[in-house]
Amino acid sequence: MESPSGLRRRSLTLLALLLPSLVSAAALDNRDPLPAGYASPPYYPAPYGGWDDGWGDAYEKAVAMVSRMTVAEKVNITAGTGRCVGNTGSAFRVGLPTALPARWATRVRTTDNITAFPAGITTGATWSKELMYERGVALGEEFRGKGVNFYLGPSVGSLGRQPRGGRNWEGFGSDPVLQAVAGAETIKGVQEQGVIATLKHYIANEQEIYRMYNPLQRAYSSNIDDRTMHELYLWPFAEGVHAGTGAIMTAYNDVNGSACSQNAYLINGLLKDELGFQGVVMTDWLAQISGVAPALAGLDMSMPGDTLGNNIPAFRVQQLDV
């Protein structure tokens, strides 16, 4: 059981995270309705995986393992524990250890003797596929050397629509093709070192302010028509999927009025069906806002799953997307 001092620290940390949003909650409570013609249509069920030849062997192994697991073991591996940024649960009885995703896009977080690699925007400015790939190799080697299973990058989910957007520096530039090529080269370099790349943030994560749900307000909504989605915002993710990324992280914000972490059209429809993605779809930290809806919409893993506000009932804003 956690000590009283530990609980106080967690409460203070949660307050610090939520305070900026709570202060401005009144401004967003009366958010404008969606413009005419913008919607996230239902898309169920989640497409069955394993049909891609490149993932066939992995799915056979996964099916064999999952068929031997209890319900508790299955649930345990779908969420993080918050330790060391975000360990997943384990199922040691069937030989499945804890997995360790680690931030950030330019370095291994919360440890020592690490390298601060060039930011994505600096890397993109070189216009060099070779340097993009070599940076990915170096990142993968360092993450592997630190015992990390997932590299939480590259970031291609912000195209720089807001010049002062908080994640612009993680990405490679405002050109979708540049983002796509740089992201793909990074994925190849990282995964060749035995580390899983996590392409993020899916999708249209164009600003930091108002980005998160909290008990008093919704996140902002990026309203995008179908042509713009495919020709601009989805393009870098499509190339990342083609490059074989093993994981994709959803954004905090809404798209067309529906939270990215439980947007069935985005996850089941565009990502898993249209693009044929076969890997893991995970949330960003504290981004899962309900229970059943994201599972039905195609979400595979909630990160970290048990820290700070995720276990406070009031934080679980129910927004069933139908």
Side-chain angles (χ1 to χ4, degrees), residues 54 71 80 92 95 119 168 172 185 243 248 253 277 292 312:
V71 172
F92 291 113
N168 292 350
F172 302 97
E185 292 298 322
I248 287 180
N253 53 276
F277 178 62
V292 175
I312 299 176

PDB file of all heavy atoms in Angstrom, residues 54 71 80 92 95 119 168 172 185 243 248 253 277 292 312:
ATOM      1  N   GLY A  54       3.575  -9.757 -43.793  1.00  0.00           N
ATOM      2  CA  GLY A  54       4.700  -9.315 -42.985  1.00  0.00           C
ATOM      3  C   GLY A  54       4.482  -9.497 -41.493  1.00  0.00           C
ATOM      4  O   GLY A  54       5.437  -9.522 -40.712  1.00  0.00           O
ATOM      5  N   VAL A  71      -8.200 -14.207 -18.287  1.00  0.00           N
ATOM      6  CA  VAL A  71      -8.729 -12.858 -18.514  1.00  0.00           C
ATOM      7  C   VAL A  71      -7.889 -11.832 -17.760  1.00  0.00           C
ATOM      8  O   VAL A  71      -7.576 -10.756 -18.285  1.00  0.00           O
ATOM      9  CB  VAL A  71     -10.200 -12.777 -18.072  1.00  0.00           C
ATOM     10  CG1 VAL A  71     -10.697 -11.327 -18.131  1.00  0.00           C
ATOM     11  CG2 VAL A  71     -11.070 -13.661 -18.950  1.00  0.00           C
ATOM     12  N   GLY A  80      -0.375   0.335 -18.754  1.00  0.00           N
ATOM     13  CA  GLY A  80       0.906   0.540 -18.104  1.00  0.00           C
ATOM     14  C   GLY A  80       0.766   0.672 -16.599  1.00  0.00           C
ATOM     15  O   GLY A  80      -0.340   0.789 -16.061  1.00  0.00           O
ATOM     16  N   PHE A  92       3.915 -13.459 -16.843  1.00  0.00           N
ATOM     17  CA  PHE A  92       5.097 -14.318 -16.756  1.00  0.00           C
ATOM     18  C   PHE A  92       4.754 -15.800 -16.884  1.00  0.00           C
ATOM     19  O   PHE A  92       5.572 -16.595 -17.334  1.00  0.00           O
ATOM     20  CB  PHE A  92       5.829 -14.066 -15.437  1.00  0.00           C
ATOM     21  CG  PHE A  92       6.497 -12.717 -15.360  1.00  0.00           C
ATOM     22  CD1 PHE A  92       6.060 -11.756 -14.467  1.00  0.00           C
ATOM     23  CD2 PHE A  92       7.548 -12.398 -16.201  1.00  0.00           C
ATOM     24  CE1 PHE A  92       6.670 -10.512 -14.407  1.00  0.00           C
ATOM     25  CE2 PHE A  92       8.168 -11.161 -16.149  1.00  0.00           C
ATOM     26  CZ  PHE A  92       7.720 -10.219 -15.249  1.00  0.00           C
ATOM     27  N   GLY A  95       5.172 -16.616 -20.303  1.00  0.00           N
ATOM     28  CA  GLY A  95       6.438 -16.165 -20.879  1.00  0.00           C
ATOM     29  C   GLY A  95       6.431 -14.777 -21.446  1.00  0.00           C
ATOM     30  O   GLY A  95       7.296 -14.433 -22.263  1.00  0.00           O
ATOM     31  N   ALA A 119      16.962  17.543 -32.438  1.00  0.00           N
ATOM     32  CA  ALA A 119      15.503  17.552 -32.524  1.00  0.00           C
ATOM     33  C   ALA A 119      15.050  17.163 -33.924  1.00  0.00           C
ATOM     34  O   ALA A 119      15.806  17.264 -34.897  1.00  0.00           O
ATOM     35  CB  ALA A 119      14.977  18.937 -32.168  1.00  0.00           C
ATOM     36  N   ASN A 168       5.892  21.104 -32.506  1.00  0.00           N
ATOM     37  CA  ASN A 168       6.485  21.317 -33.831  1.00  0.00           C
ATOM     38  C   ASN A 168       7.938  20.868 -33.884  1.00  0.00           C
ATOM     39  O   ASN A 168       8.407  20.322 -34.891  1.00  0.00           O
ATOM     40  CB  ASN A 168       6.400  22.796 -34.221  1.00  0.00           C
ATOM     41  CG  ASN A 168       4.975  23.245 -34.457  1.00  0.00           C
ATOM     42  OD1 ASN A 168       4.056  22.438 -34.519  1.00  0.00           O
ATOM     43  ND2 ASN A 168       4.785  24.550 -34.580  1.00  0.00           N
ATOM     44  N   PHE A 172       9.408  16.897 -38.178  1.00  0.00           N
ATOM     45  CA  PHE A 172      10.497  17.167 -39.108  1.00  0.00           C
ATOM     46  C   PHE A 172      10.238  18.357 -40.017  1.00  0.00           C
ATOM     47  O   PHE A 172      11.095  18.715 -40.815  1.00  0.00           O
ATOM     48  CB  PHE A 172      10.773  15.922 -39.946  1.00  0.00           C
ATOM     49  CG  PHE A 172      11.113  14.707 -39.124  1.00  0.00           C
ATOM     50  CD1 PHE A 172      10.142  13.767 -38.815  1.00  0.00           C
ATOM     51  CD2 PHE A 172      12.401  14.531 -38.631  1.00  0.00           C
ATOM     52  CE1 PHE A 172      10.451  12.650 -38.050  1.00  0.00           C
ATOM     53  CE2 PHE A 172      12.719  13.415 -37.862  1.00  0.00           C
ATOM     54  CZ  PHE A 172      11.740  12.482 -37.561  1.00  0.00           C
ATOM     55  N   GLU A 185      12.321   6.838 -42.412  1.00  0.00           N
ATOM     56  CA  GLU A 185      13.742   6.538 -42.255  1.00  0.00           C
ATOM     57  C   GLU A 185      14.094   6.332 -40.775  1.00  0.00           C
ATOM     58  O   GLU A 185      14.906   5.469 -40.430  1.00  0.00           O
ATOM     59  CB  GLU A 185      14.587   7.673 -42.836  1.00  0.00           C
ATOM     60  CG  GLU A 185      14.508   7.813 -44.338  1.00  0.00           C
ATOM     61  CD  GLU A 185      15.013   6.574 -45.064  1.00  0.00           C
ATOM     62  OE1 GLU A 185      16.002   5.974 -44.597  1.00  0.00           O
ATOM     63  OE2 GLU A 185      14.412   6.207 -46.089  1.00  0.00           O
ATOM     64  N   ALA A 243       6.492   1.641 -43.686  1.00  0.00           N
ATOM     65  CA  ALA A 243       7.867   1.384 -43.241  1.00  0.00           C
ATOM     66  C   ALA A 243       7.918   0.325 -42.149  1.00  0.00           C
ATOM     67  O   ALA A 243       9.000  -0.116 -41.767  1.00  0.00           O
ATOM     68  CB  ALA A 243       8.503   2.674 -42.735  1.00  0.00           C
ATOM     69  N   ILE A 248       1.637   2.821 -32.765  1.00  0.00           N
ATOM     70  CA  ILE A 248       1.184   4.184 -33.040  1.00  0.00           C
ATOM     71  C   ILE A 248       0.518   4.721 -31.783  1.00  0.00           C
ATOM     72  O   ILE A 248      -0.247   4.014 -31.122  1.00  0.00           O
ATOM     73  CB  ILE A 248       0.215   4.231 -34.239  1.00  0.00           C
ATOM     74  CG1 ILE A 248       1.002   4.011 -35.545  1.00  0.00           C
ATOM     75  CG2 ILE A 248      -0.548   5.548 -34.287  1.00  0.00           C
ATOM     76  CD1 ILE A 248       0.173   4.024 -36.801  1.00  0.00           C
ATOM     77  N   ASN A 253      -6.229  15.288 -28.400  1.00  0.00           N
ATOM     78  CA  ASN A 253      -7.330  16.113 -28.888  1.00  0.00           C
ATOM     79  C   ASN A 253      -8.432  15.300 -29.555  1.00  0.00           C
ATOM     80  O   ASN A 253      -8.304  14.091 -29.795  1.00  0.00           O
ATOM     81  CB  ASN A 253      -6.797  17.143 -29.885  1.00  0.00           C
ATOM     82  CG  ASN A 253      -5.982  16.512 -30.997  1.00  0.00           C
ATOM     83  OD1 ASN A 253      -4.793  16.264 -30.813  1.00  0.00           O
ATOM     84  ND2 ASN A 253      -6.588  16.255 -32.145  1.00  0.00           N
ATOM     85  N   PHE A 277      -2.737  -1.190 -40.829  1.00  0.00           N
ATOM     86  CA  PHE A 277      -1.809  -1.247 -39.694  1.00  0.00           C
ATOM     87  C   PHE A 277      -2.081  -2.471 -38.838  1.00  0.00           C
ATOM     88  O   PHE A 277      -3.215  -2.747 -38.473  1.00  0.00           O
ATOM     89  CB  PHE A 277      -1.941   0.029 -38.861  1.00  0.00           C
ATOM     90  CG  PHE A 277      -1.055   0.049 -37.643  1.00  0.00           C
ATOM     91  CD1 PHE A 277       0.327   0.008 -37.780  1.00  0.00           C
ATOM     92  CD2 PHE A 277      -1.595   0.103 -36.369  1.00  0.00           C
ATOM     93  CE1 PHE A 277       1.155   0.030 -36.662  1.00  0.00           C
ATOM     94  CE2 PHE A 277      -0.786   0.132 -35.253  1.00  0.00           C
ATOM     95  CZ  PHE A 277       0.591   0.093 -35.399  1.00  0.00           C
ATOM     96  N   VAL A 292     -15.212   1.368 -22.212  1.00  0.00           N
ATOM     97  CA  VAL A 292     -15.646   0.505 -23.313  1.00  0.00           C
ATOM     98  C   VAL A 292     -15.387   1.131 -24.678  1.00  0.00           C
ATOM     99  O   VAL A 292     -14.935   0.461 -25.606  1.00  0.00           O
ATOM    100  CB  VAL A 292     -17.141   0.162 -23.159  1.00  0.00           C
ATOM    101  CG1 VAL A 292     -17.637  -0.628 -24.363  1.00  0.00           C
ATOM    102  CG2 VAL A 292     -17.383  -0.627 -21.878  1.00  0.00           C
ATOM    103  N   ILE A 312      -9.271   8.138 -10.986  1.00  0.00           N
ATOM    104  CA  ILE A 312     -10.256   8.986 -10.343  1.00  0.00           C
ATOM    105  C   ILE A 312     -11.514   8.965 -11.202  1.00  0.00           C
ATOM    106  O   ILE A 312     -11.494   9.383 -12.356  1.00  0.00           O
ATOM    107  CB  ILE A 312      -9.736  10.426 -10.208  1.00  0.00           C
ATOM    108  CG1 ILE A 312      -8.473  10.439  -9.343  1.00  0.00           C
ATOM    109  CG2 ILE A 312     -10.810  11.339  -9.610  1.00  0.00           C
ATOM    110  CD1 ILE A 312      -7.832  11.800  -9.237  1.00  0.00           C
TER     111      ILE A 312
END
